[in-house]
Structure formats: C-alpha cells, structure tokens
Amino acid sequence: KNQVEQSPQSLIILEGKNCTLQCNYTVSPFSNLRWYKQDTGRGPVSLTIMTFSENTKSNGRYTATLDADTKQSSLHITASQLSDSASYICVVSERGYQKVTFGIGTKLQVIP
Amino acid sequence: DSGVTQTPKHLITATGQRVTLRCSPRSGDLSVYWYQQSLDQGLQFLIQYYNGEERAKGNILERFSAQQFPDLHSELNLSSLELGDSALYFCASSVDPTGIAKNIQYFGAGTRLSVL
C-alpha cells in the first residue's frame, strides 16, 4: 500500500529560526512530489512540485529537496516568520495511474 | 484568494440527512476535484471531474456522489449522513486536463460539515 509519512507531527520554533520538515514515501512508480501549506481552516496552497529528475526546488524562503533513490523529501524553511505557522503537507503522485497519496502533515507553530 | 469558490462555508445537519456542497472552479479550469479532511486527518481524495466527465475516483463512499455541470461548476452530494461524515470538504480546480497527478491544483476555502 502506498504511504506517505511526515515527521515531526508538530514543531514549535522561534521566529527567525530555520527548520526542516521530513517526508518519506513508498509510492511507486513515482511521478512527482508536492509540498502544500495549509493555514488553519483554509485550503492548501501549493509551495513546490518536483519530478523524478529534480533534486531541489525553491519558493522564496521555502526550499524542497528530493532524493528519489531513498524516497525522501524535505522542506526547509529559512528565517521563519509568524505567518509560516500552518500545516505542511507532502503529497506524492503515482505515475500513470492518477493516484495521489497525502501525508497527514506537520503542524508548525512559529512563536515570537 | 485562489479563485475557487465553495458554498456554503458551514453546514450543520442531522444524521440520516442529505446535503449538497457546491464548487465553482477558477475561470478557465476544466478539472474539479473533491477532498475530505477529517479532524487531525490528512486530505482524502474523493473524486475528479474533467469537463463534465468523471476522470478519477478515490475513496468515495457509495452514499456520496458528484457531478460537474456544463458551466463547469460541481456539486458533491452526501446522503444518509453519519456522525463520521463530519469533516472539511475541499474542492480544487486545475487547468491541466491530464489528471490529478501532474498539475497544480488551486483549493477553495472548504465547507465545514457538522453532522449532529
């Protein structure tokens, strides 16, 4: 069964600090991996999308990495801001079958 | 603002009842997707429509059904509601017609359904 596991489940960091969120998956065959940011009570917003051949992708202070061999991805947030407080969801798509598996998310809280 | 509109924002109903959730996609988007997000659970893909036709099906219960109309808006019908159906229901849309695996989806703000 395809799975996407995210860690940690929750994280509290001080404003201005960096943090890294992890995503491990077993989805095969792999098509692409996306990171979404979901503010409480709002719909998810796409941050990055990476295919098999891409190792890293940035979107402002967000940088996602992908190791397709070990089936691991990380999302690094630099110089965190209070507005970064949200859930971050890793989503992995299966090639050719239009199947998408969502991780349960990492809940990040940035405090002053 | 993603451009995807969902109504209503909140819905409170009783077990056994039937409700309809509505979604208007972004202008120009032909694909609409429905997701369920229960409390402290991940998003579960329910179903996708493209230009009026069902395109992909996920973990959608038989009590649930959806359709996409000629003007591209979509409705999700939930019937014989149970307490466990209480959740946030999201609609998303995309322009890419190739399916849910290859394109960026823009999500609406969701409909919060409470079944009492």
Side-chain angles (χ1 to χ4, degrees):
Chain A
K1 181 183 175 184
N2 287 333
Q3 287 186 312
V4 175
E5 293 183 353
Q6 293 188 242
S7 61
Q9 243 183 330
S10 63
L11 184 61
I12 300 176
I13 62 172
L14 289 174
E15 186 180 10
K17 296 296 186 184
N18 303 335
C19 67
T20 300
L21 315 180
Q22 299 290 342
C23 172
N24 296 338
Y25 61 92
T26 61
V27 173
S28 182
F30 174 85
S31 174
N32 61 71
L33 184 147
R34 286 172 267 179
W35 284 93
Y36 282 92
K37 177 187 178 189
Q38 185 178 19
D39 293 315
T40 303
R42 307 287 295 273
V45 174
S46 179
L47 293 175
T48 63
I49 179 168
M50 289 181 292
T51 58
F52 185 89
S53 58
E54 294 174 297
N55 301 119
T56 185
K57 187 106 28 114
S58 290
N59 179 356
R61 294 179 297 101
Y62 301 102
T63 299
T65 63
L66 173 66
D67 185 334
D69 291 331
T70 61
K71 299 187 176 179
Q72 295 179 326
S73 176
S74 65
L75 180 68
H76 186 73
I77 304 175
T78 305
S80 61
Q81 300 176 358
L82 298 178
S83 60
D84 292 330
S85 297
S87 285
Y88 291 83
I89 303 170
C90 176
V91 183
V92 183
S93 301
E94 190 176 334
R95 179 160 38 95
Y97 297 100
Q98 301 181 352
K99 285 187 180 176
V100 176
T101 306
F102 286 78
I104 210 166
T106 291
K107 194 163 187 175
L108 173 66
Q109 188 179 356
V110 181
I111 58 176
Chain B
D1 183 9
S2 67
V4 178
T5 304
Q6 288 188 249
T7 56
K9 282 189 169 42
H10 303 276
L11 200 48
I12 301 174
T13 188
T15 55
Q17 295 298 304
R18 173 190 167 93
V19 297
T20 297
L21 312 184
R22 195 178 193 277
C23 170
S24 295
R26 291 189 325 153
S27 177
D29 286 358
L30 298 177
S31 275
V32 170
Y33 316 81
W34 286 97
Y35 295 89
Q36 179 192 57
Q37 187 175 39
S38 302
L39 189 64
D40 293 331
Q41 297 292 314
L43 282 157
Q44 297 286 326
F45 168 66
L46 296 178
I47 197 164
Q48 179 210 359
Y49 279 83
Y50 170 67
N51 204 20
E53 301 284 331
E54 183 184 302
R55 185 75 177 220
K57 214 165 187 175
N59 302 320
I60 188 166
L61 300 173
E62 284 191 13
R63 300 183 286 109
F64 297 0
S65 65
Q67 59 184 132
Q68 186 179 27
F69 295 87
D71 68 351
L72 300 177
H73 92 270
S74 178
E75 293 182 354
L76 179 66
N77 300 297
L78 314 176
S79 61
S80 302
L81 284 168
E82 302 174 359
L83 295 176
D85 297 328
S86 295
L88 265 170
Y89 289 84
F90 287 104
C91 167
S93 75
S94 68
V95 65
D96 191 329
T98 60
I100 64 174
K102 298 182 181 179
N103 59 84
I104 291 177
Q105 298 169 36
Y106 296 87
F107 282 77
T111 292
R112 184 175 293 280
L113 174 66
S114 298
V115 182
L116 306 178

